[in-house]
């Protein structure tokens, strides 16, 4: 990659380099050897000097589609509820940009008077739920969404928010296949470049690390208060300045070192450690900390299709939660985005064993 994925500017500054990291969309069978090709090109984030867009460096992961199969109808329902409460879903034609075939929103909105836009027909509502981020050419992708929109229509766009990623120090949010990390500031400019106005936005999700954006063609409208406040706060924190985003590198290095130190200490004390959640975050963290089955005995995950497999890039096997309970490990690492309180309720026999991954060597135990 030699230019910004949004504005085309040629100067990009490095913000985060995680080194070679395996992809998290495929889990090899347990017992198979770790192949060199499991570790892809370097996973890195760059910042454009012109528009400030944070973006995946290089072209690694261009063929990867992020796994969204765990998005629940409750998550979609929350977003639809926000849009409906804002008066943006009063019926008409709908076009959805989706990873897989099927109009998730249309299925939920047909009773509200919506129908699918026909071939060549511009829609009154265009929906994109975290799909734009998976497009290597951001300007071209946004242009396609604008072209699908009727003159008086609304584009509803869900993206992960860079300001929250930085505020929460979520360096593990950087993943293959997720090419853009927008702030309200950079998204506003990108939308203006394709003739759209960023009119309103709402936080979505339990961790507020994502936003639902409403964009229109009407240039006479003024951005709503949330957008104006967010623009002001991003300007104050310097979200388009690479020096602000580089805090993610500091946190990533510190957390990987802390996890390695803690696991070595547990091994020295003959303590058994199991992790809970074969998540993209755990794949990245394991690669950074060089985790093996000598340090973490297994990863428990509730998805049956992952039983009998192992974590990418390492020999750590994936087991069922029942196997975890039967093992009764000394410590269970809670991998994001799982809630320790919910795990306490689900597995009462493991009370006192749940710990969060340490973020520094001064923070070995967090949680129970």
């Amino acid at each position: 990659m030699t230019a910004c994925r949004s504005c085309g500017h040629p100067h990009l500054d490095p913000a985060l380099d995680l080194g070679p990291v395996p992809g998290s969309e495929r889990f090899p069978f347990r017992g198979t050897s770790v192949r060199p090709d499991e570790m892809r090109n370097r996973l890195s984030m760059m910042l454009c000097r012109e528009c400030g867009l944070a973006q995946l460096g290089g072209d690694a992961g261009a063929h990867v589609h992020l796994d969204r199969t765990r998005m629940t109808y409750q998550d979609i329902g929350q977003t639809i509820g926000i849009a409906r409460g804002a008066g943006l879903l009063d019926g008409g034609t709908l076009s959805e940009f989706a990873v897989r075939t099927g109009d998730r929103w249309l299925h939920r909105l047909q009773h509200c008077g919506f129908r699918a836009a026909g071939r060549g027909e511009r829609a009154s509502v265009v929906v994109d739920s975290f799909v734009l981020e998976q497009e290597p050419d951001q300007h071209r992708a946004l242009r396609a969404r604008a072209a699908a929109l009727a003159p008086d229509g609304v584009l509803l766009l869900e993206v992960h928010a860079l300001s929250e990623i930085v505020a929460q120090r979520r360096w593990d949010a950087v993943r293959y296949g997720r090419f853009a990390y927008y702030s309200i500031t950079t998204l506003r400019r990108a939308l203006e470049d394709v003739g759209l106005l960023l009119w309103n936005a709402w936080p979505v999700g339990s961790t507020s690390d994502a936003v639902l954006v409403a964009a229109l063609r009407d240039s006479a409208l003024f951005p709503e208060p949330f957008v104006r406040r967010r623009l002001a706060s991003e300007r104050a924190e310097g979200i388009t300045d690479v020096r602000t985003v580089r805090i993610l590198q500091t946190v990533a290095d510190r957390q990987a070192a802390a996890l390695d130190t803690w696991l070595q200490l547990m091994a020295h004390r003959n303590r058994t450690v199991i992790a809970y959640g074969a998540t993209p975050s755990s794949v990245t963290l394991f690669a950074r900390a060089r985790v093996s089955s000598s340090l973490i005995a297994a990863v428990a995950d509730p998805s049956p299709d992952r039983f009998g497999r192992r974590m990418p890039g390492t020999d750590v096997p994936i087991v069922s939660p029942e196997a975890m309970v039967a093992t009764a490990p000394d410590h269970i690492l809670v991998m994001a985005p799982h809630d320790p309180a919910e795990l306490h309720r689900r597995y009462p026999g493991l009370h006192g064993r749940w710990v969060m991954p340490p973020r520094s060597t001064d923070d070995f135990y967090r949680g129970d």
Side-chain angles (χ1 to χ4, degrees), residues 65-72 75-76 96-100 104-105 128-131 133-134 158 160 178:
H65 287 298
L66 298 176
D67 183 6
R68 295 180 62 242
T69 58
R70 293 188 178 188
M71 171 174 270
T72 65
D75 296 326
I76 299 170
E96 183 173 6
F97 286 80
V99 175
R100 296 180 176 86
R104 297 176 179 84
W105 282 56
D128 182 311
S129 296
F130 305 109
V131 180
E133 301 171 342
Q134 301 183 40
E158 282 185 284
H160 290 90
R178 184 180 289 170

Side-chain angles (χ1 to χ4, degrees), residues 21-22 28-40 287 291-293 310-317:
V21 174
F29 285 105
R30 179 176 181 174
T32 57
S33 300
V34 179
R35 302 187 314 273
D37 61 0
E38 288 182 32
M39 307 300 285
R40 296 202 173 124
V291 169
S292 69
S293 60
R310 62 171 172 81
M311 296 293 287
T314 181
D315 62 345
V316 178

Side-chain angles (χ1 to χ4, degrees), residues 131-293:
V131 180
L132 174 65
E133 301 171 342
Q134 301 183 40
E135 298 285 355
D137 188 334
Q138 288 293 297
H139 180 70
R140 180 179 180 180
L142 267 179
R143 209 167 56 232
R145 285 144 180 79
L149 190 65
D152 59 348
V154 57
L155 170 64
L156 295 175
L157 183 65
E158 282 185 284
V159 296
H160 290 90
L162 179 64
S163 57
E164 289 302 320
I165 290 172
V166 172
Q168 298 175 27
R169 307 300 193 250
R170 286 289 313 281
W171 59 272
D172 53 358
V174 179
R175 298 171 191 169
Y176 292 118
R178 184 180 289 170
F179 289 94
Y181 303 80
Y182 280 101
S183 61
I184 291 295
T185 303
T186 56
L187 186 54
R188 181 191 190 190
R189 169 169 173 164
L191 287 166
E192 288 175 350
D193 286 346
V194 297
L196 297 176
L197 166 75
L198 199 166
W199 171 66
N200 208 349
W202 303 266
V204 295
S206 58
T207 60
S208 300
D209 65 344
V211 291
L212 171 67
V213 166
L216 314 165
R217 297 188 190 278
D218 192 346
S219 59
L221 290 174
F222 198 60
E224 288 293 296
F226 177 86
V227 174
R228 299 199 298 271
R229 290 194 301 270
R230 195 68 166 258
L231 289 169
S233 65
E234 289 181 354
R235 187 164 50 249
E237 69 193 38
I239 197 61
T240 59
D241 188 330
V242 70
R243 292 171 295 184
T244 300
V245 182
R246 279 178 180 156
I247 185 61
L248 297 177
Q249 184 74 63
T250 301
V251 175
D253 294 344
R254 184 182 300 152
Q255 186 172 1
L259 179 59
D260 177 62
T261 301
W262 183 77
L263 289 173
Q264 297 288 350
L265 178 62
M266 294 302 102
H268 179 73
R269 294 177 178 174
N270 294 317
R271 303 285 178 83
T272 302
V273 177
I274 283 181
Y276 187 92
T279 64
S281 298
S282 57
V283 171
T284 306
L285 180 56
F286 283 16
R288 291 285 294 166
R290 296 182 176 87
V291 169
S292 69
S293 60

Side-chain angles (χ1 to χ4, degrees), residues 19 22 37 44 55 64 73 78 106 119-120 122 126 134 200 210 213 242-243 290 327 350 360:
D37 61 0
S44 64
Q55 52 205 281
V64 174
Y73 279 106
Q78 178 198 22
L106 182 61
R119 183 183 295 274
R122 294 201 281 179
V126 173
Q134 301 183 40
N200 208 349
V213 166
V242 70
R243 292 171 295 184
R290 296 182 176 87
T327 302
L350 299 175
S360 73

Side-chain angles (χ1 to χ4, degrees), residues 276 334-346 354 356:
Y276 187 92
V334 182
M335 309 308 296
H338 297 95
D339 178 12
E342 171 59 27
L343 296 176
H344 286 320
R345 291 190 291 270
R346 192 180 304 173
W354 305 94
M356 301 297 290

